[in-house]
């Protein structure tokens, strides 16, 4: 029996037990006034109980809300009970936490090349949470708008990016123990509307650098060289305001180049390039291979799930994911 039911029962018993039956039998009028007073008292008790229950419920909800805010800010040590953070502050702290975990998993799994099934699932969960907190409403705007996003304060896909995680098999298959002639280096993208260029770095393997017979092939005779080549896949990219997060690609060509020429060096200095970077990289510095023509072919699509000034997360049409970090002038490598 509930407290309210017991209260009503006690009130009825109390009223009936104190009724003056002797006065009633002597001809007094029926005790209707006493009965009305009893029901008025019952209504007052019921109203008081309902008010107390509502107040307790409101206080309980407020306690849950404050605990929720403390939970999401406790890891940063910035909980303030008297002045709780705004929703935007809580979301930004959540983004920073999720991005930090994503970077750690990318490094732990060697950009996804050695990722276990558990690590892949953990990365996807982090991606889904970040996608729900995406601060850029039209992440593909650079490919359908002529407005320079750098002047609007909104993050832009334009720029150079370096891969930190992927589960796409066309990328993860590049790192193979059977490939003994070159070692896979960094992987990136250059987004310069209306094109997107995928860049794959190939470096000389250790056994080549240690062999006296192929020294001039991959490594120059002076210090400071970069025995590496850059394989580039060039695509034409397009987007539309109707689907502001999707980018459609058409293959337009391939390039194979040596490392970027530094400073004001004479681009025709073939012997200097070879002396510095070896025959392969130095020769491609001077004579890059460019296979581009007037025709293009469909090359798939991808959706930008998350974009800010630091990180970009994409999902391909085949439901594979890629996480990239923006390169700065200091970290640029292509």
């Amino acid at each position: 029996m509930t407290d309210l039911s017991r209260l009503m029962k006690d009130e009825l018993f109390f009223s009936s037990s104190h009724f003056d039956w002797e006065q009633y039998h002597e001809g007094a009028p029926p005790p209707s006034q006493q009965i009305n007073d009893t029901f008025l008292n019952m209504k007052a008790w019921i109203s008081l109980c309902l008010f107390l229950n509502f107040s307790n419920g409101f206080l309980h909800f407020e306690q849950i809300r404050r605990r929720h805010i403390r939970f999401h800010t406790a890891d940063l040590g910035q909980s303030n009970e008297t002045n709780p953070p705004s929703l935007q502050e809580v979301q930004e702290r959540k983004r920073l936490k999720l991005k930090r975990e994503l970077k750690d998993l990318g490094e732990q799994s060697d950009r996804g090349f050695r990722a276990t099934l558990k690590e892949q699932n953990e990365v996807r969960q982090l991606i889904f949470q970040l996608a729900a907190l995406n601060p850029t409403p039209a992440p593909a705007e650079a490919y359908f708008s002529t407005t320079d996003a750098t002047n609007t304060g909104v993050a832009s896909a334009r720029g150079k990016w370096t891969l930190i995680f992927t589960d796409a098999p066309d990328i993860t298959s590049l790192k193979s123990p059977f490939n003994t002639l070159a070692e896979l280096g960094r992987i990136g993208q250059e987004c310069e509307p209306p094109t997107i260029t995928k860049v794959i770095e190939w470096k000389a393997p250790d056994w080549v650098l240690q062999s006296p017979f192929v020294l001039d092939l991959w490594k120059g005779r002076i210090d400071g060289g970069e025995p590496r080549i850059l394989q580039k896949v060039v695509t034409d990219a397009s987007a539309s305001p109707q689907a502001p997060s999707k980018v459609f690609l058409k293959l337009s060509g391939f390039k194979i180049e040596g490392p970027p020429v530094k400073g004001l060096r004479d681009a025709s200095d073939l012997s200097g390039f070879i002396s510095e970077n070896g025959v392969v990289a130095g020769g491609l510095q001077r004579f890059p291979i460019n296979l581009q023509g007037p025709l293009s072919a469909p090359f798939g699509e991808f959706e930008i799930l998350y974009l800010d000034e630091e990180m970009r997360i994409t999902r391909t049409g085949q439901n594979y994911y890629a996480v990239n970090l923006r390169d700065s002038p200091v970290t640029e490598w292509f």
Side-chain angles (χ1 to χ4, degrees), residues 170-327:
D170 61 321
I171 299 297
T172 57
S173 61
L174 294 175
K175 198 168 188 177
S176 170
F178 302 105
N179 185 2
T180 59
L181 298 178
E183 179 183 336
L184 180 65
R186 291 162 289 190
I187 299 173
Q189 272 190 347
E190 182 174 11
C191 298
E192 189 60 41
T195 63
I196 294 179
T197 303
K198 180 184 291 185
V199 184
I200 302 172
E201 179 185 54
W202 296 100
K203 302 185 296 183
D206 290 338
W207 74 268
V208 171
L209 297 178
Q210 296 169 2
S211 172
F213 302 105
V214 291
L215 182 64
D216 289 337
L217 183 64
W218 263 109
K219 185 178 181 180
R221 294 183 176 273
I222 61 177
D223 295 332
E226 296 180 278
R228 63 190 182 101
I229 62 175
L230 302 177
Q231 174 188 342
K232 299 184 177 182
V233 180
V234 184
T235 58
D236 296 324
S238 62
S240 69
Q242 290 72 32
S245 62
K246 283 193 174 183
V247 179
F248 299 89
L249 304 174
K250 289 185 177 181
L251 179 64
S252 62
F254 301 91
K255 293 182 180 179
I256 302 178
E257 304 173 353
V261 178
K262 298 178 180 178
L264 300 176
R265 188 168 181 176
D266 185 2
S268 63
D269 184 13
L270 177 59
S271 61
F273 291 144
I274 292 177
S275 297
E276 183 178 1
N277 298 317
V279 174
V280 176
L284 287 171
Q285 272 186 303
R286 176 64 181 88
F287 299 106
I289 300 174
N290 187 354
L291 303 176
Q292 286 185 269
L295 301 179
S296 60
F299 199 63
E301 63 184 69
F302 65 85
E303 181 179 5
I304 303 177
L305 302 178
Y306 181 90
L307 176 67
D308 62 18
E309 291 295 342
E310 179 192 21
M311 180 176 287
R312 187 194 66 187
I313 302 175
T314 59
R315 177 176 58 198
T316 68
Q318 294 78 33
N319 285 325
Y320 297 116
Y321 298 89
V323 183
N324 290 266
L325 294 181
R326 189 187 298 273
D327 287 332

Side-chain angles (χ1 to χ4, degrees), residues 65 68-100 133 135 306:
R65 187 186 73 85
H68 178 75
I69 293 176
R70 286 199 299 270
F71 172 77
H72 285 287
T73 58
D75 61 318
L76 297 176
Q78 298 182 8
S79 177
N80 189 339
E81 187 69 24
T82 60
N83 187 22
S86 65
L87 177 61
Q88 291 77 12
E89 292 174 328
V90 172
Q91 289 178 338
E92 183 59 26
R93 293 171 187 174
K94 185 76 169 179
R95 291 188 193 101
L96 293 173
K97 180 176 180 293
L98 293 171
K99 289 196 295 183
R100 185 169 59 247
L133 297 171
Y306 181 90

Side-chain angles (χ1 to χ4, degrees), residues 88-157:
Q88 291 77 12
E89 292 174 328
V90 172
Q91 289 178 338
E92 183 59 26
R93 293 171 187 174
K94 185 76 169 179
R95 291 188 193 101
L96 293 173
K97 180 176 180 293
L98 293 171
K99 289 196 295 183
R100 185 169 59 247
E101 294 177 6
L102 196 51
K103 293 176 190 176
D104 291 341
L105 275 172
E107 183 177 357
Q108 176 181 319
S109 64
D110 187 17
R111 299 175 292 176
F113 289 101
R114 296 201 307 264
T116 63
L117 184 60
K118 178 183 177 182
E119 289 172 332
Q120 289 182 348
N121 290 331
E122 289 176 356
V123 167
R124 290 193 186 100
Q125 291 303 316
L126 293 173
I127 287 175
F128 297 154
Q129 293 180 65
L130 274 171
L133 297 171
N134 178 30
T136 309
E141 184 177 5
Y143 286 89
F144 65 78
S145 173
T146 58
T147 303
D148 186 1
T150 58
N151 297 327
T152 63
V154 179
S156 172

Side-chain angles (χ1 to χ4, degrees), residues 20-31:
D20 192 351
W21 288 99
E22 182 178 349
Q23 180 183 3
Y24 174 73
H25 286 296
E26 290 178 357

